Amino acid sequence: MTVKLIASDMDDTLLNSNTKISERNAAAIHKAIAKGIVFMIATGRMYVSVKPYADALGLDVPLVTYNGALVKGSKSGKVYYEHPLKLDTALELLAYCKEKGYYIQSYQGDELWVKEETVFSAEYERISGIKAKPVGEKLYHPEVAPYKLLAMTKPEEFQKVWQDIQQKFAGKVTVTSSRDNFLELMEPGVNKWNAVKAVAASYGIRPEEVMCIGDSNNDLSMIENAGIGVAVANAKPAVQAAAELVTASNDEDGVAEVIERFTL
């Protein structure tokens, strides 16, 4: 099978444990691009958090951000499409999380809104490199629909909060996770695969010519549907089970290994 487009998740996949792109990963990506293969990033992160990595790789492609809620050009800044949460749904979710005492943060434009600085917001800032904007009670009353909401919990409470929100908002929201305590909340139908597939189509590339690489639950949609779905060795068991193959871990240049195997 000919691979014409490669879409990789960022955290715990393309990035190592130090949130860096290794020299080997970068070299493999540049070689693939030189052969005419499209390489793109598909992430739950904010656009502003992804762009520096895309720039470092010299990418000139649409980037899938917010788990597919926004697809935006890495160099042009062109918005290819956006699917934010419905404002009414967002307001309902925010009110519910406030009532339950769940930590919630909102992505307004390319700003990260939090009620106040907490250990959760500090953890997110450390991982993403983005400074949160404390807005107090305004967090619960946005006037513009957010791209997504993200709830964070203690690890032992995660499954309970997931089930609680999923049952309460069944049919109104897509619920997935990117880390063991990150609960991602998007508009129904928003996922990485639908966004990657749309980008591929804009290049005239068929789904079976796409390779997708990831590690977590929010990568399942693209790993299950791509022509070649790849899990890194540190991926969750369910992701590894869904993948056609498992490459090395994110700390062992797994992205480079699979690119070298299939394209170089």
Side-chain angles (χ1 to χ4, degrees):
M1 180 185 299
T2 300
V3 174
K4 295 184 178 179
L5 183 148
I6 300 170
S8 176
D9 171 52
M10 276 188 64
D11 293 284
D12 300 315
T13 301
L14 177 61
L15 306 184
N16 60 26
S17 295
N18 296 318
T19 64
K20 304 292 185 184
I21 300 174
S22 72
E23 290 184 7
R24 183 182 171 195
N25 278 351
I29 290 165
H30 287 141
K31 287 177 182 176
I33 292 170
K35 289 189 67 174
I37 295 167
V38 177
F39 182 87
M40 60 182 294
I41 295 169
T43 179
R45 285 196 188 211
M46 307 165 68
Y47 178 81
V48 70
S49 178
V50 182
K51 185 169 169 34
Y53 292 95
D55 290 344
L57 289 171
L59 300 182
D60 186 13
V61 292
L63 300 176
V64 172
T65 62
Y66 301 103
N67 289 317
L70 174 67
V71 179
K72 188 173 178 180
S74 57
K75 286 193 174 180
S76 67
K78 174 184 174 181
V79 173
Y80 288 80
Y81 68 81
E82 51 189 338
H83 295 280
L85 267 169
K86 289 185 177 67
L87 183 56
D88 288 349
T89 303
L91 290 169
E92 192 177 348
L93 271 165
L94 288 163
Y96 185 71
C97 288
K98 180 182 180 181
E99 175 191 336
K100 288 285 190 176
Y102 298 155
Y103 172 87
I104 190 82
Q105 58 188 38
S106 181
Y107 298 82
Q108 299 290 151
D110 229 6
E111 290 186 339
L112 170 61
W113 283 17
V114 299
K115 179 185 177 185
E116 58 196 2
E117 294 180 351
T118 67
V119 292
F120 288 133
S121 66
E123 178 186 358
Y124 191 87
E125 287 179 348
R126 177 184 60 80
I127 293 168
S128 69
I130 298 300
K131 182 66 178 173
K133 181 178 180 179
V135 295
E137 289 297 311
K138 185 179 177 182
L139 172 70
Y140 303 107
H141 307 285
E143 296 179 356
V144 177
Y147 285 121
K148 71 172 187 177
L149 301 176
L150 188 143
M152 294 173 67
T153 74
K154 296 177 181 177
E156 63 271 20
E157 298 172 350
F158 186 61
Q159 289 300 324
K160 178 186 178 298
V161 175
W162 184 330
Q163 292 171 5
D164 183 20
I165 292 178
Q166 188 154 304
Q167 290 173 2
K168 175 72 175 177
F169 293 90
K172 291 185 175 182
V173 65
T174 292
V175 183
T176 188
S177 67
S178 53
R179 288 177 177 260
D180 287 340
N181 67 327
F182 284 20
L183 196 62
E184 312 263 353
L185 309 171
M186 289 86 60
E187 184 67 11
V190 168
N191 59 55
K192 289 186 181 183
W193 174 245
N194 283 339
V196 168
K197 183 172 63 172
V199 172
S202 74
Y203 284 93
I205 296 170
R206 302 190 306 274
E208 58 267 28
E209 297 171 320
V210 175
M211 174 190 288
C212 292
I213 314 166
D215 76 291
S216 200
N217 292 313
N218 63 332
D219 299 313
L220 273 170
S221 63
M222 62 179 187
I223 287 174
E224 289 172 338
N225 289 286
I228 302 175
V230 182
V232 284
N234 53 292
K236 294 184 178 303
V239 178
Q240 294 192 37
E244 184 173 335
L245 61 94
V246 177
T247 186
S249 75
N250 67 314
D251 285 325
E252 298 170 321
D253 304 323
V255 169
E257 181 179 288
V258 76
I259 290 175
E260 291 162 357
R261 175 176 171 183
F262 279 88
T263 67
L264 305 180

